[in-house]
Amino acid sequence: MLVGVPREIKNHEYRVGLVPASVRELVVRGHRVIVQQGAGAAIGLADEDYVAAGAEIVAGAGEVFARGELIVKVKEPQPDECRQLRAGQVLFTYLHLAPDPAQAALLLASGVTAIAYETVTAAAGGLPLLAPMSEVAGRMAIQAGAACLEKPRGGSGVLLAGVPGVAPGKVVILGAGVVGYNAARMATGLGAEVTVLARSPESLRFIDQQFRGRVRTLRSTAETIEASVVDADLTVGAVLVAGATTPRLVRREVLQRMRPGSVLVDVSIDQGGCFETSHPTTHADPTFVVDGIVHYCVANMPGAVPRTSTFALNNATLPFVLALAEQGARKALASDPHFRAGLNVDRGRVTCRAVAEALDLPWTDPASALRDGG
């Protein structure tokens, strides 16, 4: 199979779909890989490294999309990229379609088979291709939030760690999944006072056991969310409903009861965000202020640490890329129900139920779509 890797073009996105070691794994199995010139340069992966691994370097993205049978990316295709996709081609990347009807329409029109990292499941539970970036984003959320609390950045001037004789900052984390757990690790490591809210008793029990009582846990309800957020210096939105639009847990009226200069970091923004006042921002312009509250809503947070993020992502995605190349997409997806859960769009049809419901579009069962071949 001919695998294509274009350079990412989203704002301040420096990750790359395949690292040279991943390319080598494909090449030794008899596959061909074309990589756009400079695709990994920003994270120290030179074109020469890819050539040494067996890749062919091509000058522009147009050639990658024109020749590639399987396109491996990191972030959702931008409109110009979507228009270069075609029927019979396979796209493997993060998609986050539920809050993005424009991208969904372009993918449906292209006829491409689009597999989303974020909805692939695992036999033991969880989302194995989302987890590495959730780990990164969870840890970054505390870094970003701590920086936003600094007065020159619009924050209240609170140091999360505190100092002897001065109380530490208060961190509230909405959600106890991978993002929430990693945010709690970072926040407790700094010495902040941390509260985690979640609906699942099992998740709260896990947090309590992992942190040995150092983290306060609360059942997530409208009352506990509002009371906790109003008292927080930093609130991290770490809620995820796989494939679906994130529920809005904090309404605008709550902001008026918060301390001016408090910070909201919405890690859920890729799926629409869990604060009513959230909208996506970029690394170039990461924050905005509503009612005196600083919002950090960067939609590709791990892109700020692209070298770490790229290698972590490749560790998770490579087995799936190899399966697609070795078996072809239809056989690989048909034979593995957990991989098949990643199929979001197939030849003009929405094959992820959560996406179809979010966008009010017809849903086609993915197993049926693979059987009839489109």
Side-chain angles (χ1 to χ4, degrees):
M1 181 175 285
L2 179 57
V3 181
V5 182
R7 185 172 63 241
E8 297 292 325
I9 61 173
K10 188 166 183 170
N11 180 277
H12 283 269
E13 181 55 71
Y14 306 111
R15 289 174 288 180
V16 61
L18 294 176
V19 299
S22 298
V23 169
R24 184 178 179 184
E25 289 298 310
L26 285 159
V27 171
V28 298
R29 287 168 168 79
H31 305 291
R32 293 178 295 156
V33 182
I34 55 175
V35 178
Q36 185 180 353
Q37 185 177 22
I43 58 172
L45 302 176
D47 291 344
E48 292 77 11
D49 298 326
Y50 283 101
V51 171
E56 175 190 349
I57 301 298
V58 299
E63 187 171 354
V64 174
F65 284 101
R67 292 174 56 192
E69 298 169 88
L70 167 62
I71 303 297
V72 180
K73 283 178 40 63
V74 177
K75 288 305 291 178
E76 69 278 0
Q78 302 304 291
D80 285 348
E81 294 176 310
C82 287
R83 295 185 186 100
Q84 296 180 73
L85 295 167
R86 65 180 188 275
Q89 198 170 47
V90 178
L91 172 68
F92 193 32
T93 189
Y94 288 115
L95 292 176
H96 300 294
L97 288 175
D100 194 351
Q103 184 202 168
L106 288 169
L107 291 179
L108 289 167
S110 74
V112 75
T113 294
I115 307 165
Y117 293 158
E118 72 271 12
T119 60
V120 174
T121 59
L127 303 167
L129 305 189
L130 187 61
M133 297 304 93
S134 295
E135 291 169 344
V136 172
R139 297 178 188 207
M140 284 189 66
I142 303 304
Q143 289 184 191
C148 290
L149 280 168
E150 295 173 6
K151 196 65 177 177
R153 303 192 187 207
S156 60
V158 169
L159 179 67
L160 285 182
V163 292
V166 180
K170 295 180 179 180
V171 175
V172 168
I173 301 168
L174 305 179
V178 178
V179 171
Y181 169 72
N182 280 274
R185 279 190 63 183
M186 289 291 287
T188 55
L190 285 174
E193 180 183 318
V194 182
T195 300
V196 174
L197 293 88
R199 289 183 177 182
S200 164
E202 291 78 13
S203 297
L204 294 175
R205 191 171 295 112
F206 172 79
I207 294 291
D208 183 68
Q209 291 170 347
Q210 289 295 308
F211 294 99
R212 300 185 179 185
R214 290 179 294 153
V215 171
R216 182 183 181 214
T217 57
L218 291 174
R219 174 76 161 81
S220 180
T221 65
E223 182 176 347
T224 57
I225 290 172
E226 290 185 15
S228 300
V229 168
V230 165
D231 194 41
D233 298 297
L234 166 61
T235 300
V236 176
V239 179
L240 174 70
V241 180
T245 303
T246 306
R248 297 296 178 97
L249 300 181
V250 178
R251 298 296 176 186
R252 179 166 185 170
E253 56 263 27
V254 176
L255 272 62
Q256 297 169 4
R257 295 162 50 201
M258 297 173 67
R259 289 190 290 274
S262 299
V263 174
L264 302 177
V265 175
D266 200 342
V267 185
S268 303
I269 195 65
D270 277 324
Q271 294 294 133
C274 63
F275 307 125
E276 184 180 19
T277 44
S278 291
H279 63 74
T281 60
T282 67
H283 289 295
D285 188 14
T287 63
F288 59 92
V289 178
V290 178
D291 295 338
I293 306 305
V294 180
H295 293 58
Y296 180 100
C297 303
V298 175
N300 60 328
M301 287 179 64
V305 286
R307 187 173 175 90
T308 295
S309 297
T310 292
F311 281 93
L313 182 60
N314 265 238
N315 288 342
T317 58
L318 180 58
F320 295 90
V321 173
L322 291 172
L324 290 170
E326 299 274 271
Q327 303 173 42
R330 308 196 83 73
K331 183 177 179 182
L333 295 169
S335 63
D336 183 347
H338 298 289
F339 195 8
R340 188 164 64 244
L343 184 62
N344 278 210
V345 171
D346 183 54
R347 304 184 184 194
R349 297 166 295 182
V350 177
T351 51
C352 175
R353 188 189 293 272
V355 169
E357 291 175 351
L359 299 178
D360 195 24
L361 292 171
W363 172 72
T364 300
D365 179 76
S368 173
L370 293 169
R371 281 195 302 271
D372 66 34

